[in-house]
Amino acid sequence: MLLWFVITYWIISIGIGLWAGTLVKNSKDYAIAGRALPFYIVTATVFATWFGSETVLGIPASFLKDGLAGVVADPFGSSLCLILVGLFFARPLYRMNLLTIGDFYRKRFNRTVEVLTTLCIVISYLGWVAAQIKALGLVFNVVSEGAMSQHTGMIVGAATVLIYTMWGGMWSVAVTDFLQMIIILVGMVYIAFEVSGMVGGVGAVVSHASAAGKFNLLPAPELKDMLWFIAAWITMMFGSIPQQDVFQRVASSKNEKIAGNASITGGILYFCFAFIPMFLAYSATLIDPKMVAGLIDTDPQLILPSLIMQHVPVFAQVMFFGALLSAIKSCASATLLAPSVTFTENILRGAFKHWTDRQFLFAMRAVVLCFTAMVTVFALNTDASIYKMVENAYKVTLVAAIVPLTFGLYWHRATSLGATLAIVLGLATWINLEIINPNGLVPPQLAGLAMSLVGMLVGSLVSLAGGQKQPRINWFARR
């Protein structure tokens, strides 16, 4: 029954995505849904995009091993990212009427900054998308009871998500995200009630976790521990802001008020519901401690699926895997589309300026296909955990893209030289430390962020001292 449910649900969701693709008439429709999405759809797609495999499988595994201190990056940092976007970035970026986040770097600085940041953004998606594809392989392997290998499941999952994403772009992503958010919310709440009844209620689980020290969030009062704690927190909180998938939800909104409020609401919803998988996974330590002990050091990502498969009724299994598949599909489709659109707009279009809109739309679909093939190969050949793949994805944008974006919006003296030095120094510092001393006193990405800030300040002040004039542009003025 479970397997047939998965197959039926998969076919229906693909059909809905293909139907939504009929709304695509031009490249603007494909990239940002024609800037026509209402509040509830934008909120749904913000929430559903972030509630992915790492939320259901990766975060609970990290929580079981390290408690709240192990999940400071996600959901704490990631939720704050969405709230910060809604408060400080959504409205000014929406008013600029851009197609991609890369367009901001070109308009505010120059073509060099645009290309450098775009390449960093695209590279950062490799780990995130690969994590979703790995999760699809894991789910298909579990629900088929081993009949389908994880590698085969990855290929099948990636191919099917590709079908409607490549065809319908942001319209398909938005419509399917709305459906999938409903399934996620209902499924997670239902399974939480089902499991809580097996362990004596929520209070029993919370008390047990508290006694085990799982709610200790702050690090030890040692300099190294505090620096690594801060680095993990800000990697997701700041590194996720200059991302195309976040920008697409802002730009797809019907107006700037929706753009800001939907991001904040989606962030709050995400933070609240991200604790349900943690509760479910910790409940497994009370229901089946032997199973948990056998998986905690080998493959902790299997603890929650194993609990569901072995200890709850079939209907509860259907609800859980429906929610899990919805979470993975929504995240996978969004993260396939985002880097493909920005690469086409900010790299290819600059080289092929004669393209018509029809040719540009064809190119975006072709890049989606190529990017999907590339990340599937990457997912098939990496052993990194889902949580770590997602967390590490944002290091590159933390050290290269957040400083030019923030200073470009809020400091009128920021110059192209400053932005270029911010990118170069941030990347060089981070990469060198990752090679030379990856576990030193100062985390490599934290040092990279600091040098990116230095590069922006020094480069901009040198430019201004040399006579370069910066136009006073008020990005916040209503248009």
Side-chain angles (χ1 to χ4, degrees):
M1 178 180 174
L2 177 60
L3 182 59
W4 280 109
F5 163 77
V6 169
I7 294 172
T8 303
Y9 170 70
W10 205 252
I11 293 172
I12 291 173
S13 61
I14 292 172
I16 292 172
L18 292 175
W19 169 81
T22 61
L23 300 172
V24 174
K25 307 301 181 185
N26 52 51
S27 60
K28 189 174 182 180
D29 287 340
Y30 190 85
I32 53 175
R35 290 169 68 93
L37 300 182
F39 172 78
Y40 66 93
I41 293 289
V42 180
T43 300
T45 194
V46 168
F47 171 82
T49 296
W50 283 71
F51 202 97
S53 63
E54 72 283 359
T55 313
V56 183
L57 301 175
I59 292 176
S62 296
F63 176 74
L64 285 178
K65 296 185 72 173
D66 303 313
L68 287 182
V71 296
V72 63
D74 194 5
F76 290 95
S78 53
S79 301
L80 280 172
C81 161
L82 295 172
I83 293 171
L84 290 174
V85 168
L87 291 174
F88 301 108
F89 295 89
R91 294 172 188 260
L93 287 174
Y94 186 88
R95 290 171 191 160
M96 293 177 68
N97 193 23
L98 307 171
L99 192 67
T100 69
I101 188 68
D103 290 344
F104 169 82
Y105 295 101
R106 183 184 68 251
K107 286 194 172 186
R108 180 61 177 86
F109 300 112
N110 57 28
R111 172 68 175 163
T112 300
V113 174
E114 174 195 16
V115 171
L116 289 174
T117 51
T118 296
L119 291 175
C120 290
I121 290 168
V122 170
I123 291 170
S124 73
Y125 277 97
L126 281 173
W128 194 6
V129 185
Q132 312 314 312
I133 293 174
K134 283 195 72 172
L136 285 173
L138 186 150
V139 171
F140 285 133
N141 176 257
V142 170
V143 299
S144 68
E145 298 182 349
M148 181 180 290
S149 69
Q150 289 197 28
H151 279 194
T152 302
M154 290 184 205
I155 296 171
V156 171
T160 49
V161 172
L162 168 67
I163 291 172
Y164 71 84
T165 305
M166 185 172 68
W167 170 249
M170 190 60 193
W171 269 116
S172 290
V173 170
V175 172
T176 53
D177 276 359
F178 178 67
L179 169 66
Q180 286 159 180
M181 186 190 80
I182 295 172
I183 295 173
I184 291 169
L185 297 182
V186 173
M188 283 291 135
V189 170
Y190 175 83
I191 199 68
F193 275 109
E194 185 75 28
V195 171
S196 66
M198 299 169 63
V199 294
V202 175
V205 177
V206 172
S207 297
H208 194 280
S210 178
K214 297 300 181 181
F215 294 149
N216 296 330
L217 175 62
L218 298 178
E222 301 288 338
L223 180 59
K224 181 176 180 178
D225 290 335
M226 289 189 290
L227 288 176
W228 279 88
F229 177 85
I230 292 171
W233 188 21
I234 67 172
T235 295
M236 291 286 280
M237 183 168 60
F238 294 149
S240 305
I241 292 175
Q243 289 284 2
Q244 175 63 16
D245 65 282
V246 176
F247 173 81
Q248 274 182 307
R249 278 126 197 86
V250 169
S252 299
S253 303
K254 189 178 294 184
N255 57 55
E256 65 180 65
K257 183 178 179 181
I258 291 174
N261 292 343
S263 183
I264 295 171
T265 307
I268 294 171
L269 275 175
Y270 175 74
F271 182 77
C272 295
F273 277 86
F275 283 90
I276 294 180
M278 284 189 268
F279 164 78
L280 296 175
Y282 196 82
S283 297
T285 64
L286 304 180
I287 297 170
D288 194 344
K290 185 177 179 180
M291 179 269 289
V292 173
L295 290 173
I296 192 68
D297 293 321
T298 55
D299 196 351
Q301 295 165 159
L302 281 173
I303 290 175
L304 186 49
S306 298
L307 170 71
I308 301 301
M309 289 294 292
Q310 297 172 19
H311 294 283
V312 303
V314 173
F315 182 72
Q317 293 177 8
V318 168
M319 295 297 289
F320 173 79
F321 283 102
L324 176 56
L325 284 171
S326 295
I328 298 171
K329 283 174 73 277
S330 59
C331 190
S333 59
T335 51
L336 285 175
L337 179 65
S340 304
V341 168
T342 194
F343 182 83
T344 310
E345 162 73 3
N346 301 113
I347 303 295
L348 296 183
R349 196 170 198 175
F352 300 95
K353 297 180 180 179
H354 61 280
W355 273 353
T356 64
D357 188 74
R358 186 180 183 85
Q359 290 173 316
F360 182 52
L361 178 58
F362 176 83
M364 281 194 283
R365 285 174 168 150
V367 173
V368 171
L369 174 62
C370 295
F371 188 75
T372 304
M374 182 170 59
V375 294
T376 302
V377 171
F378 178 67
L380 290 169
N381 292 280
T382 182
D383 296 323
S385 71
I386 291 171
Y387 187 85
K388 283 299 179 185
M389 288 172 72
V390 172
E391 182 183 357
N392 291 337
Y394 298 109
K395 290 180 180 179
V396 63
T397 44
L398 176 72
V399 303
I402 185 61
V403 169
L405 175 63
T406 305
F407 277 73
L409 282 174
Y410 284 96
W411 193 40
H412 74 273
R413 292 178 176 271
T415 67
S416 299
L417 177 61
T420 304
L421 284 180
I423 298 166
V424 173
L425 290 181
L427 285 173
T429 303
W430 169 58
I431 292 171
N432 281 327
L433 285 179
E434 287 284 2
I435 295 171
I436 298 170
N437 193 16
N439 300 309
L441 173 65
V442 180
Q445 72 267 35
L446 191 60
L449 176 63
M451 290 306 297
S452 180
L453 180 62
V454 170
M456 171 59 75
L457 294 174
V458 172
S460 297
L461 294 177
V462 167
S463 298
L464 295 171
Q468 179 178 333
K469 294 183 179 181
Q470 283 297 105
R472 288 181 173 270
I473 304 172
N474 184 4
W475 304 114
F476 300 87
R478 291 188 176 275
R479 299 213 174 19

